[in-house]
């Protein structure tokens, strides 16, 4: 499953002229740079190879050795290679997914990078996601927004406007249900979609800091504030807001409801836009709004799963790796790799340009200007794996049998005692 | 014991039978028909919820083209061949020898050893999952074709031995005795007398083991990962992308993956049926 692409610099031809401008002042590197990447799907892979070509052109005396590992296999192999034959850079994920590596001393502290002007000024939105114990352990290269994708034509037909408060959200939903539709489609067969709903209602009810504390096991599941989150959620469930039998659909299988107009909206990540567009929902029919505010006292915070680079502690060429990190987060590179014809996601750097895409533009504006509370990583990345697994089962059960809530919370609470 | 031949029953029964047969057959094949239809649909039909109706466009060339030229399927198919063929050869060769030993020689513990082989068949293979994975890891065979082949040979030999031993046991013992009287060495008896006689059993067994191993999914996902060693059955799941599952390509891939054993069945139909019934009818 390993693919070796050796990029010796002599081969990296005439494109030298291309990239140097933005990096005036950075000296040319020499020696080696070994990168293990999990960007194995075709488009991400091209992005990774493109970055290496451009970086190599800037540093003609640097030997860059890229190994692409299948995205799923990476999850089992990263522990092996960070604890033995470590590369200089590896891909991974932000937030709690870093904990095992940080705790075991396998990731290098890169707080010094985050003290540089570029990071302080333009990358603040994701700093929290890469911080553990007050230090930063890696850098982001891409993320994407979550939010409510809705059928603009159905909203127009029913005379609805984009809601901004919980009361408006529920009023809209009441009218949608009265028109014989479900407000939201969701497929909870693989559980994680329910995690999205919990994240948002909890972030809006109790705020980002509370959410992170809950994820870190510092707050009881039976806490009245957690119950308040579920009580808010239950208001929607009792209205019949969600499509029936959602526990039998995957998220993709839940899409026909919104495509066929049986449901008016879906809370999902931006990756859902591509299939919805293919299915005929053009930009006139599909639109996006930020999840509404519930408790006016808490700052808005979003889910935006972030993909990252890290330096293993055992790396041999850490200075070269840090220079590559500076290159990855630069506004120019961020614009390039997140464009619609590359990753099709959001750039991290606030100075980057976003592709002219309705949803990317809205997401970029939302995350860079209207998410003062912070950026969460999503339920299954913020909570430790075991807690996330049990938690999401509980969330699905709650959506189907809301009356079981006490039992579910007791169960999660006893799991919390074991896991943390 | 046998059902009464249909042409001997009353006329109205015959009509009923002939009417129901195609219906039941279609019902029974429905899942397969669905996969075949899915495999020529465009991706957008799945987002539209257009699962069962007429495809909105016919994408057979597109889908199968992608399976063969834009995915790792050819490599997975090759892996399957590299895993299946050595397993068939290994398991059949070993079981010919064990079958000969257990079927021809009378020694203490013969029956006991034979029962061990048979009992191996009754071990639910799921309980072996963790120990076998650890074993292959320790031996450095995890995620190698060799590891998978060795395990398959070991596990299939139990069934194959039962099969061969019973077949060899049923051979006329006089042939072997006659050879012994002529002073033929034991290994030459095995090679020149027994093996030619059990050729039909070898053919039947090869076909059976081929389909068993080709269709194995469990051990494929337990013992291998990644493009280089995974056989086609678990390779199909690579059409699940990071976010989206490509149902149409998965269906096309499944059809392609199912073809070799099906062709094997039609080519060797006689042996296959013989294999299933050998020993059950005397």
């Amino acid at each position: 499953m390993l693919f070796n692409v050796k990029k010796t610099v002599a081969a990296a031809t005439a494109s030298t002229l291309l990239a140097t401008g933005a990096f005036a002042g950075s000296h040319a590197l020499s020696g080696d740079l070994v990168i293990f990447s999990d960007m194995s799907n075709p488009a991400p892979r091209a992005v990774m190879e493109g970055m290496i070509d451009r970086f190599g052109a800037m540093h003609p005396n640097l030997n860059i050795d890229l190994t692409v590992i299948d995205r799923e296999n990476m999850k089992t192999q990263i522990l092996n290679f960070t604890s033995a034959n470590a590369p200089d850079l590896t891909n991974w994920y932000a937030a709690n997914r870093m904990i095992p590596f940080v705790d075991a001393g396998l990731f290098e502290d890169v707080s010094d990078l985050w003290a540089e002007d570029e990071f302080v000024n333009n990358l603040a939105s994701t700093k929290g996601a890469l911080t553990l114990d007050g230090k930063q352990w890696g850098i982001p290269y891409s993320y994407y927004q979550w939010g409510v994708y809705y059928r603009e034509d159905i909203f127009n037909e029913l005379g609805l406007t984009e809601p901004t408060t919980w009361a408006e959200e529920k009023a809209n939903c009441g009218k949608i249900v009265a028109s014989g539709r479900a407000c939201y489609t969701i497929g909870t067969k693989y559980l994680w979609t329910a995690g999205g709903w919990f994240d948002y209602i909890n972030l809006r009810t109790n705020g980002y800091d509370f959410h992170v504390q809950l994820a870190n096991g510092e707050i009881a599941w039976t806490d009245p504030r957690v119950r308040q989150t579920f009580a808010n959620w239950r208001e929607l469930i009792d209205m019949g807001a969600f499509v029936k039998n959602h526990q039998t659909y995957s998220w993709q299988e839940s899409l026909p409801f919104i495509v066929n107009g049986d449901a008016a909206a879906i809370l999902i990540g931006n990756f859902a836009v591509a299939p919805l567009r293919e299915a005929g929902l053009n930009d006139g029919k599909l639109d996006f709004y930020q999840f509404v505010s519930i408790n006016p006292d808490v700052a808005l915070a979003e889910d935006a799963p972030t993909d990252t680079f890290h330096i293993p502690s055992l790396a041999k060429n850490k200075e070269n790796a840090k220079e590559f990190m500076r290159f990855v987060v630069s506004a120019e590179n961020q614009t390039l790799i997140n464009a619609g014809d590359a990753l099709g996601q959001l750039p991290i750097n606030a100075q980057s340009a976003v592709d002219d895409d309705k949803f990317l533009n809205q997401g970029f504006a939302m995350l860079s200007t209207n998410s003062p509370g912070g950026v969460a990583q999503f339920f299954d990345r913020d909570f430790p794996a075991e807690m996330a697994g049990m938690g999401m089962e509980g969330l699905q059960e709650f959506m189907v049998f809301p009356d079981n809530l006490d039992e579910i919370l007791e169960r999660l609470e006893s799991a919390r005692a074991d896991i943390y | 014991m046998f059902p009464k031949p249909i042409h001997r029953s009353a006329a109205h029964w015959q009509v009923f039978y002939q009417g129901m047969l195609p219906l039941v057959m279609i019902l029974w094949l429905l899942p397969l028909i669905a996969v075949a239809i899915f495999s020529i649909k465009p991706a957008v039909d799945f987002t539209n919820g257009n699962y069962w109706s007429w495809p909105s466009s016919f994408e057979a060339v597109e889908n199968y083209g992608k399976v063969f030229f834009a995915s790792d399927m050819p490599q997975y198919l090759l892996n399957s061949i590299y895993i299946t063929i050595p397993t068939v050869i290994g398991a059949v060769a070993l079981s010919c020898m064990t079958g000969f030993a257990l079927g021809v020689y009378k020694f203490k513990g013969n029956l006991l050893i034979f029962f061990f082989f048979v009992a191996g068949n009754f071990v639910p293979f799921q309980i072996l999952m963790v120990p076998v994975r650890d074993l292959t890891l320790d031996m450095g065979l995890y995620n190698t074709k060799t590891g998978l082949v060795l395990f398959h040979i070991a596990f299939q030999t139990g069934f194959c031995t039962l099969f061969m031993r019973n077949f060899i046991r049923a051979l006329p013992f006089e042939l072997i005795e006659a050879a012994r009287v002529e002073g033929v060495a034991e290994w030459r008896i095995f090679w020149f007398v027994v093996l030619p006689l059990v050729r039909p059993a070898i053919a039947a067994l090869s076909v059976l083991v081929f389909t068993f191993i080709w269709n194995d999914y469990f051990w494929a996902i337990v013992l291998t990962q990644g493009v280089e060693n995974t056989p086609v059955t678990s390779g199909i799941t690579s059409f699940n992308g990071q976010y989206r599952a490509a149902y149409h390509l998965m269906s096309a891939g499944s059809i392609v993956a199912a073809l070799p054993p099906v062709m094997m069945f039609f080519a060797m139909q006689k042996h296959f049926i013989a294999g299933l019934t050998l020993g059950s009818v005397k």
Side-chain angles (χ1 to χ4, degrees), chain B residues 26 50 93 103 106 111 114 123 151 165 189 207 214 246 250:
Chain B
I26 288 171
N50 176 15
K106 293 180 181 56
L111 215 55
F114 179 56
V123 177
F151 174 76
R165 182 260 189 195
I189 296 178
V207 179
W214 186 278
M250 234 183 292

Side-chain angles (χ1 to χ4, degrees), chain B residues 95-119:
Chain B
S95 63
C96 283
M97 294 189 266
T98 51
F100 179 72
L102 293 171
V104 171
Y105 300 113
K106 293 180 181 56
F107 57 92
K108 233 189 213 165
N110 179 315
L111 215 55
L112 189 72
I113 292 174
F114 179 56
F115 284 165
F116 268 114
F117 276 110
V118 179

Side-chain angles (χ1 to χ4, degrees), chain A residues 1-3 41 44 70-71 73 76-77 93 144 192 250-257 259-260 271 274-276 278-280 307 345 381, chain B residues 43-51 70 72 76 133 137 142-143 224-230 238 240-247 250:
Chain A
M1 80 229 69
L2 305 180
F3 306 89
N41 288 357
D70 177 77
R71 200 169 172 96
N73 291 338
T76 53
Q77 292 184 6
Y93 308 96
Y144 58 88
W192 54 270
S250 71
W251 78 270
Q252 275 174 284
E253 288 158 2
S254 76
L255 293 183
F257 293 103
V259 172
N260 297 330
F271 52 82
L276 289 175
E278 285 166 21
D307 293 328
Q345 299 196 141
R381 294 190 190 181
Chain B
V44 60
D45 275 11
F46 298 95
T47 319
N48 278 326
N50 176 15
Y51 300 122
D72 292 320
Y76 290 131
R133 183 183 182 278
L137 264 181
Y142 180 71
N143 195 24
T224 61
Q225 54 182 2
V227 183
E228 256 150 45
N229 297 304
T230 299
S238 67
N240 287 326
Q242 190 186 341
Y243 302 114
R244 292 169 67 183
Y247 294 117
M250 234 183 292

Side-chain angles (χ1 to χ4, degrees), chain A residues 210-223:
Chain A
F210 179 90
H211 189 70
V212 170
Q213 285 170 340
L214 182 66
N216 291 337
E218 293 157 19
I219 288 172
W221 281 93
T222 46
D223 188 289

Side-chain angles (χ1 to χ4, degrees), chain B residues 31-46:
Chain B
L32 278 176
I33 295 171
V35 172
I37 293 175
F38 281 11
S39 77
I40 57 168
K41 283 187 170 213
V44 60
D45 275 11
F46 298 95

Side-chain angles (χ1 to χ4, degrees), chain A residues 177-401:
Chain A
V177 170
S179 76
R181 300 175 174 100
C183 305
Y184 318 104
T185 184
I186 183 172
T188 58
K189 185 173 174 185
Y190 297 113
L191 308 174
W192 54 270
T193 44
W197 276 93
F198 176 82
D199 277 354
Y200 269 100
I201 298 178
N202 195 42
L203 285 168
R204 293 292 187 266
T205 307
N206 297 310
Y208 177 80
D209 294 334
F210 179 90
H211 189 70
V212 170
Q213 285 170 340
L214 182 66
N216 291 337
E218 293 157 19
I219 288 172
W221 281 93
T222 46
D223 188 289
R225 290 168 292 179
V226 178
R227 285 184 188 276
Q228 184 56 45
T229 296
F230 283 100
N232 289 338
W233 195 352
R234 178 150 190 180
E235 289 184 71
L236 294 180
I237 296 171
D238 287 347
M239 288 172 76
F242 297 98
V243 293
K244 292 192 174 62
N245 300 323
H246 53 76
Q247 71 276 18
T248 60
Y249 307 120
S250 71
W251 78 270
Q252 275 174 284
E253 288 158 2
S254 76
L255 293 183
F257 293 103
I258 186 168
V259 172
N260 297 330
D262 297 322
I266 181 170
L267 175 68
I268 197 86
N270 200 53
F271 52 82
V273 169
L276 289 175
R277 275 189 180 143
E278 285 166 21
L281 296 185
N282 56 33
D283 288 1
K285 286 186 178 166
L286 191 69
D287 205 351
F288 173 83
Y289 65 82
Q290 185 170 16
F291 198 94
V292 297
S293 149
I294 295 178
N295 176 352
D297 299 332
V298 303
L300 297 178
E302 300 298 318
D303 262 343
T306 308
D307 293 328
T308 56
F309 279 103
H310 305 269
I311 304 178
S313 309
L314 299 176
K316 294 185 191 72
N317 307 290
K318 289 178 184 168
E319 283 314 309
N320 289 350
K322 282 185 180 170
E323 192 57 36
F324 188 77
M325 284 180 156
R326 288 188 191 100
F327 163 77
V328 169
V329 298
S330 67
E332 186 196 30
N333 180 59
Q334 282 291 303
T335 304
L336 215 58
I337 66 171
N338 286 295
D341 57 359
L343 293 175
Q345 299 196 141
L346 293 174
I348 309 275
N349 192 310
Q351 298 300 318
S352 310
V354 186
D355 242 27
D356 188 19
D357 174 286
K358 182 179 178 179
F359 298 99
L360 288 181
N361 277 321
Q362 294 191 48
F364 189 64
M366 175 177 85
L367 287 169
S368 46
T369 61
N370 203 22
S371 178
V375 173
Q377 291 300 307
F378 199 74
F379 196 90
D380 61 1
R381 294 190 190 181
D382 288 322
F383 287 73
E386 213 181 330
M387 191 72 240
M390 289 203 60
M392 293 190 298
E393 276 174 29
L395 299 177
Q396 186 206 38
E397 184 182 343
F398 170 73
M399 286 190 76
V400 183
F401 304 110

Side-chain angles (χ1 to χ4, degrees), chain B residues 98-240:
Chain B
T98 51
F100 179 72
L102 293 171
V104 171
Y105 300 113
K106 293 180 181 56
F107 57 92
K108 233 189 213 165
N110 179 315
L111 215 55
L112 189 72
I113 292 174
F114 179 56
F115 284 165
F116 268 114
F117 276 110
V118 179
N121 286 317
F122 295 101
V123 177
F125 52 82
Q126 287 87 350
I127 65 165
L128 297 174
M129 179 173 95
V130 174
V132 168
R133 183 183 182 278
D134 287 350
L135 183 71
T136 49
L137 264 181
D138 289 345
M139 293 170 73
L141 292 173
Y142 180 71
N143 195 24
T144 61
K145 298 185 195 83
T146 321
L148 204 51
V149 166
L150 286 179
F151 174 76
H152 277 315
I153 290 177
F155 202 71
Q156 291 300 328
T157 301
F159 166 74
C160 294
T161 300
L162 164 70
F163 191 99
M164 291 307 295
R165 182 260 189 195
N166 285 351
F167 195 89
I168 290 172
R169 188 90 169 178
L171 295 176
F173 197 65
E174 295 78 10
L175 292 172
I176 294 164
E177 280 184 328
R180 282 192 183 146
V181 170
E182 297 289 333
V184 181
E186 290 297 317
W187 70 268
R188 293 175 67 94
I189 296 178
F190 173 66
W191 193 254
F192 293 106
V193 179
V194 174
L195 272 193
L197 287 171
V198 297
R199 246 192 245 147
I202 291 175
L205 203 53
S206 304
V207 179
L208 273 185
V209 174
F210 181 91
T211 46
F212 288 168
I213 303 304
W214 186 278
N215 290 334
D216 166 70
Y217 177 69
F218 185 82
W219 294 107
I221 58 169
V222 171
L223 297 182
T224 61
Q225 54 182 2
V227 183
E228 256 150 45
N229 297 304
T230 299
V232 71
T233 39
S234 83
I236 293 168
T237 54
S238 67
F239 290 116
N240 287 326

